[in-house]
Amino acid sequence: MPDIPFGFSLPGAQPPDPSDPQQMQQFMNQLQQMFAAPGSGPVNWDLARQVAASQLSATGDPSVNMYEQNAVSEALRLADLWLDPASAMPSGIRDATAWNRNEWVYNTLDVWKKLCDPIAGRMVGAMGDLVPEEARAQLGPMQSMVATLGGALFGGQLGQALGQLAAEVLSAGDIGLPLGPAGTAALVPANIKTYGDGLEIPEDQVRLYVALREAAHQRLFQHVPWLRAHVLTAVETYANGITVNREAIEEAMSRVDPTDPESMQAMALEGIFTPEDTPQQKASLARLETALALVEGWVGHVVDSAAGDRLPSVAALGEAFRRRRAAGGPAEQTFAALVGLELRPRRLREACALWTAVTEVRGVQGRDALWDHPDLLPTDEDFADPQKFASAQPDWDISELDALGDGGEEEPGSKS
């Protein structure tokens, strides 16, 4: 693996000794590589991946052995069998696998790029704006170094956040977003073991419950064609309303001394991004929270229905996962602080109650038919009275909705 460019608080990273020519030459080579590295966006994603890998290497990232791979494959196979009567959607799994933490980072990086590049672009632009206008012409080509530095700073700290998140996630779809390749169901055995130890529940039961959740996510995102773009667009729309705190950037940059590499290590970007307090942004946040809650609520309801009396610790596991998703783990909170974006379904319990009510009134087929189009889904207001929504007749005929388009860009509750 290439050397990590110096300047980020990696575990065990040491500043070069100015009296050691070899260390200084290595540092200068790394710095040159950082600024010369080609990039197609505002984030140095190669650096982000390397920083995450270095962090995971320092804290421990056990490889997946054959026993764990077989146990994961068997758990996902059994999970799909259990889900068949609980869901109208068939299996969405084309590939069942186990990942170590580094593999989780590598296989989810494409989606993180899609989500983070717009936010990072505003930060890099704000850094460039800090250069006085009269000085920009004099800088000429060197002004691009400001963007490169911004991309490296953001990439380094985002890599740390992803490394922390990789040490906590239990599967590819654990945080509710379709992060992994379509059709690939993946579990992270090392994290499942640690999580199970904390719950004092046998590892095989925890693994099977995680497999049920992962398999349910795959069914939903594979067989609802518009859903992947719908959820990611909801995240992007909210992210587009996040503003850059220029004062925070200026204050952070003022602490950087070009002659002191340690000052770059100490630089933190938390607090630079803040959501706009506008009606549009509040509505965007509500749509995002509703979308995340509907997905997570459906998964939780279907999994608990499928597990039933088959899994001895299903009640304890269901409650533990609801608390975990509602609160967010330490790494998720770090990520939220870094980019100003929380990925937690705040109304998870209400969503679970709503899907339960719909199943009781309309059955499994009627419940899952609501995913045929985003305008058929419950709105935020429907959470307050699940029985009323469950008993109501749909406002639209699905053929009429299809005539309006594929629904890929619409949000729940956009009925006119």
Side-chain angles (χ1 to χ4, degrees):
M1 186 180 69
D3 289 325
I4 308 298
F6 183 80
F8 303 95
S9 51
L10 300 177
Q14 297 294 326
D17 182 356
S19 64
D20 187 330
Q22 186 175 359
Q23 285 190 33
M24 287 303 297
Q25 183 60 47
Q26 184 182 25
F27 167 62
M28 293 305 295
N29 289 341
Q30 291 171 344
L31 195 63
Q32 186 177 22
Q33 290 172 11
M34 181 178 76
F35 281 103
S40 57
V43 177
N44 188 329
W45 285 103
D46 284 341
L47 178 61
R49 179 179 53 79
Q50 292 173 31
V51 168
S54 177
Q55 181 170 300
L56 290 169
S57 176
T59 56
D61 185 18
S63 59
V64 176
N65 59 44
M66 286 301 298
Y67 169 79
E68 290 169 325
Q69 182 68 63
N70 291 336
V72 165
S73 297
E74 178 60 23
L76 287 166
R77 185 194 66 80
L78 183 59
D80 253 345
L81 288 175
W82 286 11
L83 286 170
D84 279 339
S87 169
M89 302 174 196
S91 172
I93 299 175
R94 294 199 298 263
D95 181 30
T97 188
W99 290 341
N100 66 9
R101 293 158 181 165
N102 250 306
E103 288 171 326
W104 181 88
V105 172
Y106 179 81
N107 286 295
T108 62
L109 210 56
D110 284 345
V111 176
W112 289 119
K113 291 178 184 179
K114 185 179 178 65
L115 297 178
C116 296
D117 272 351
I119 304 173
R122 289 196 290 281
M123 184 205 75
V124 171
M127 290 179 67
D129 291 344
L130 292 177
V131 179
E133 191 169 348
E134 59 273 14
R136 294 177 195 172
Q138 298 177 9
L139 283 175
M142 288 188 66
Q143 192 174 347
S144 64
M145 292 180 65
V146 175
T148 304
L149 175 62
L153 287 170
F154 198 85
Q157 298 213 1
L158 192 57
Q160 292 186 44
L162 290 176
Q164 292 177 28
L165 199 55
E168 294 179 8
V169 293
L170 306 178
S171 68
D174 191 26
I175 64 173
L177 297 178
L179 294 175
T184 297
L187 272 55
V188 186
N191 295 350
I192 291 174
K193 183 180 188 310
T194 301
Y195 184 65
D197 290 343
L199 294 178
E200 298 183 348
I201 294 175
E203 183 181 349
D204 60 339
Q205 290 193 44
V206 180
R207 180 172 53 242
L208 182 52
Y209 194 83
V210 175
L212 283 161
R213 288 181 54 83
E214 179 72 1
H217 269 111
Q218 291 295 332
R219 288 182 183 231
L220 199 56
F221 282 102
Q222 281 292 96
H223 297 293
V224 181
W226 53 266
L227 184 59
R228 177 178 291 265
H230 176 82
V231 171
L232 295 180
T233 297
V235 176
E236 288 180 74
T237 301
Y238 175 68
N240 286 336
I242 294 174
T243 56
V244 176
N245 185 335
R246 295 178 186 273
E247 291 182 359
I249 289 183
E250 191 168 6
E251 198 276 331
M253 291 297 291
S254 70
R255 296 196 300 269
V256 176
D257 178 0
T259 65
D260 178 15
E262 286 186 308
S263 68
M264 289 182 67
Q265 282 187 297
M267 182 176 174
L269 298 180
E270 286 89 343
I272 282 176
F273 302 100
T274 55
E276 285 185 345
D277 189 22
T278 64
Q280 293 84 354
Q281 183 67 351
K282 289 178 180 177
S284 177
L285 176 60
R287 287 195 296 271
L288 172 57
E289 290 181 343
T290 299
L292 291 173
L294 288 174
V295 169
E296 286 295 291
W298 184 89
V299 167
H301 167 68
V302 168
V303 165
D304 288 350
S305 299
D309 298 329
R310 294 164 163 166
L311 199 60
S313 301
V314 63
L317 284 164
E319 181 59 27
F321 271 77
R322 278 186 287 273
R323 288 198 307 267
R324 179 174 177 269
R325 288 297 291 123
E332 206 170 329
Q333 293 162 12
T334 298
F335 186 81
L338 181 61
V339 300
L341 184 61
E342 292 185 352
L343 300 174
R344 296 179 299 180
R346 295 182 181 276
R347 307 194 66 182
L348 181 54
R349 293 183 187 276
E350 292 95 326
C352 287
L354 194 150
W355 287 121
T356 300
V358 171
T359 307
E360 291 172 352
V361 174
R362 305 189 188 188
V364 169
Q365 293 285 342
R367 178 200 67 205
D368 291 353
L370 292 174
W371 292 101
D372 286 346
H373 195 280
D375 276 344
L376 295 175
L377 289 176
T379 66
D380 185 59
E381 290 76 16
D382 293 321
F383 284 27
D385 193 343
Q387 290 299 330
K388 180 180 177 181
F389 174 82
S391 303
Q393 293 298 315
D395 296 335
W396 293 79
D397 182 85
I398 191 63
S399 61
E400 295 175 357
L401 291 171
D402 288 339
L404 295 175
D406 63 10
E409 299 300 321
E410 299 182 46
E411 302 288 349
S414 61
K415 297 187 282 286
S416 57

